[in-house]
Amino acid sequence: MINNPTQILIALLIFACSCNKSINQNPIEIELKAVKGKGILFGHQDDLAYGMNWSYIKGESDVKRVSGDYPALFGWELGGIEMKHTHNLDSVPFEYMREMSIKAYEMGGINTFSWHPFSVINGESSWNTESVVVKHILPGGSHHSQFKNQLDILADFFKSLQNKEGEMLPFIFRPWHEMDGSWFWWGTKTCTTEEVKELFQFSVQYLREEKALTSMLVAYSPDRNFKSKSEYLTWYPGDDYVDILGMDNYYDFKLGKEKQVIEKLHVVIELAKEKNKLSALTETGLSNVTDSLWFTQKLGKVLNDSLISKELSYAMVWRSDPKVHFYFPAEDHAAAPDAREFLNHPNILLLKDFNREKKQSN
Ligand code: BMA
């Protein structure tokens, strides 16, 4: 019973906080929660930038060439921006990326950004694990202020993603991924679990609080090196720093171990449910799609698992660069009909499907 002024004040404060929370909920989170169980959003890295038979033609997309529609989720890579490069490490001009990611948002899609920064200490790429970086860029480290300068540049880019009214657009940031592997300077070869946790925490806190990036959702995505919940959480920075629990996984598919992909996604999903967070297969694919039935028979089978199809928000395949490797087939490739069939499955949401489901959930 509320019967004195202090209790009334407390009740009002609690009410105000709860209203504030729903007002402040990220639009992407609201949308993904609203369509959960209606289908899994399909994503493709660099989809609007280049494909197997074209590059930098506005409106083009390999997913659209094959299926007739754009993906619902668009992946982008920011590596190089921290060095003030005009193009990212895969030659995508940052201006083009800005324009296309705004376009993707206006069409109803979701943008997710990865970042493979060059080391602020020696300018070496993310894949150079010869020297120690993380320890020196953490608070108190010799290169901490230079690292903050890198984050400042990153924040400027994120802040420039605005709609016509000048409001900042919501987006997903997926930093320090695959930290359970040994191939990045934030990986197991060159830093401790505590250091990578602190790096994650510092980066998110700095971007959210110092740089006021309130429209950012954060994804945590180790690679496939876990079996249990506690193993998955080895590098987890904490609930305050993460909104989406993810996994990158190419290798289990490569080994033909789809069952393991399913089991690992179950671990991710169960944790996401416990923590009231979203879950995703943040990166996957078969390099050069060498199995022309991979989409329906491998990825499709995994995504059709009953728990996964009910809970997982999105699955994203990696980029299609004719000079390096491709994870989505060109329209004239032997795997294209199968990819089309996979994308036509009611369980997979392309952009129009996603927009329709959002409308219906309103
Ligand atoms: C890797 C490869 C590289 C690329 C990097 C960052 O998986 O595609 O060619 O530079 O991602 O996008």
Side-chain angles (χ1 to χ4, degrees):
M1 216 1 207
I2 295 175
N3 52 14
N4 71 39
T6 318
Q7 282 176 325
I8 291 171
L9 193 64
I10 291 170
L12 279 173
L13 274 173
I14 292 171
F15 179 68
C17 288
S18 63
C19 289
N20 198 27
K21 191 164 176 8
S22 62
I23 288 165
N24 286 339
Q25 219 189 354
N26 189 296
I28 295 178
E29 198 176 351
I30 296 172
E31 288 176 0
L32 290 178
K33 284 189 171 160
V35 307
K36 202 161 81 167
K38 302 276 162 51
I40 296 169
L41 275 66
F42 182 73
H44 185 212
Q45 179 80 358
D46 282 347
D47 187 78
L48 298 175
Y50 54 83
M52 296 305 287
N53 298 318
W54 60 276
S55 57
Y56 305 105
I57 304 174
K58 289 179 185 162
E60 280 295 353
S61 148
D62 274 356
V63 171
K64 184 163 181 260
R65 284 183 170 209
V66 166
S67 72
D69 194 11
Y70 293 107
L73 180 105
F74 298 85
W76 304 99
E77 163 61 32
L78 291 166
I81 203 161
E82 71 291 343
M83 305 292 274
K84 301 195 173 143
H85 293 168
T86 54
H87 294 58
N88 82 353
L89 42 74
D90 301 321
S91 310
V92 181
F94 287 113
E95 271 311 315
Y96 201 82
M97 192 186 298
R98 182 202 325 280
E99 197 187 326
M100 289 300 111
S101 50
I102 293 173
K103 176 88 193 143
Y105 178 81
E106 284 170 348
M107 294 193 298
I110 292 176
N111 291 298
T112 174
F113 294 89
S114 52
W115 185 37
H116 296 90
F118 290 85
S119 154
V120 77
I121 301 172
N122 52 23
E124 293 289 351
S125 86
S126 291
W127 289 264
N128 185 313
T129 56
E130 291 312 307
S131 47
V132 170
V133 179
V134 176
K135 191 172 150 189
H136 303 303
I137 63 176
L138 286 173
S142 57
H143 287 69
H144 181 59
S145 68
Q146 288 93 323
F147 176 58
K148 283 204 289 191
N149 292 339
Q150 289 193 327
L151 290 174
D152 291 341
I153 299 170
L154 195 70
D156 286 344
F157 178 83
F158 285 142
K159 282 186 177 169
S160 76
L161 303 178
Q162 297 179 355
N163 64 15
K164 293 192 184 80
E165 287 74 46
E167 294 158 348
M168 257 169 60
L169 304 184
F171 61 93
I172 299 169
F173 182 41
R174 188 170 63 92
W176 315 123
H177 72 136
E178 299 174 13
M179 70 301 274
D180 57 321
S182 56
W183 44 89
F184 294 132
W185 50 247
W186 57 88
T188 53
K189 190 174 162 207
T190 35
C191 74
T192 66
T193 29
E194 284 316 307
E195 283 167 353
V196 74
K197 268 189 206 175
E198 196 184 337
L199 179 66
F200 203 115
Q201 290 161 348
F202 176 79
S203 310
V204 172
Q205 192 173 356
Y206 186 78
L207 292 174
R208 274 201 178 132
E209 289 169 21
E210 295 284 322
K211 309 308 291 183
L213 289 179
T214 48
S215 59
M216 175 175 79
L217 279 187
V218 177
Y220 166 74
S221 63
D223 204 76
R224 56 186 276 282
N225 298 301
F226 63 93
K227 284 207 162 72
S228 62
K229 288 183 189 172
S230 67
E231 281 174 4
Y232 177 83
L233 294 175
T234 308
W235 309 269
Y236 188 63
D239 292 347
D240 290 346
Y241 303 91
V242 173
D243 306 289
I244 300 169
L245 302 190
M247 167 179 74
D248 289 3
N249 198 336
Y250 299 86
Y251 209 65
D252 283 330
F253 278 113
K254 192 173 169 199
L255 297 175
K257 295 185 171 172
E258 288 79 44
K259 201 168 159 265
Q260 294 224 357
V261 182
I262 293 176
E263 282 166 13
K264 289 171 191 177
L265 281 177
H266 284 186
V267 170
V268 177
I269 286 169
E270 276 157 23
L271 276 168
K273 280 172 77 178
E274 283 168 26
K275 294 175 179 295
N276 191 25
K277 297 192 185 288
L278 298 159
S279 60
L281 180 52
T282 37
E283 268 188 49
T284 191
L286 177 68
S287 183
N288 298 339
V289 203
T290 48
D291 168 358
S292 60
L293 296 179
W294 186 81
F295 276 92
T296 58
Q297 299 308 305
K298 305 293 161 69
L299 183 59
K301 293 256 156 79
V302 167
L303 300 183
N304 271 331
D305 167 83
S306 59
L307 181 67
I308 294 172
S309 60
K310 216 169 82 204
E311 293 292 334
L312 199 77
S313 286
Y314 61 87
M316 184 177 84
V317 296
W318 203 238
R319 64 200 199 99
S320 292
D321 180 344
K323 295 186 294 304
V324 185
H325 49 201
F326 62 95
Y327 290 87
F328 190 83
E331 66 280 13
D332 52 1
H333 187 272
D338 181 70
R340 186 178 307 120
E341 190 183 329
F342 161 82
L343 294 173
N344 277 337
H345 194 284
N347 183 32
I348 300 299
L349 302 183
L350 289 169
L351 189 62
K352 282 184 202 143
D353 307 318
F354 181 40
N355 283 332
R356 183 196 62 236
E357 291 302 334
K358 280 190 280 187
K359 235 190 213 148
Q360 282 177 8
S361 71
N362 269 336

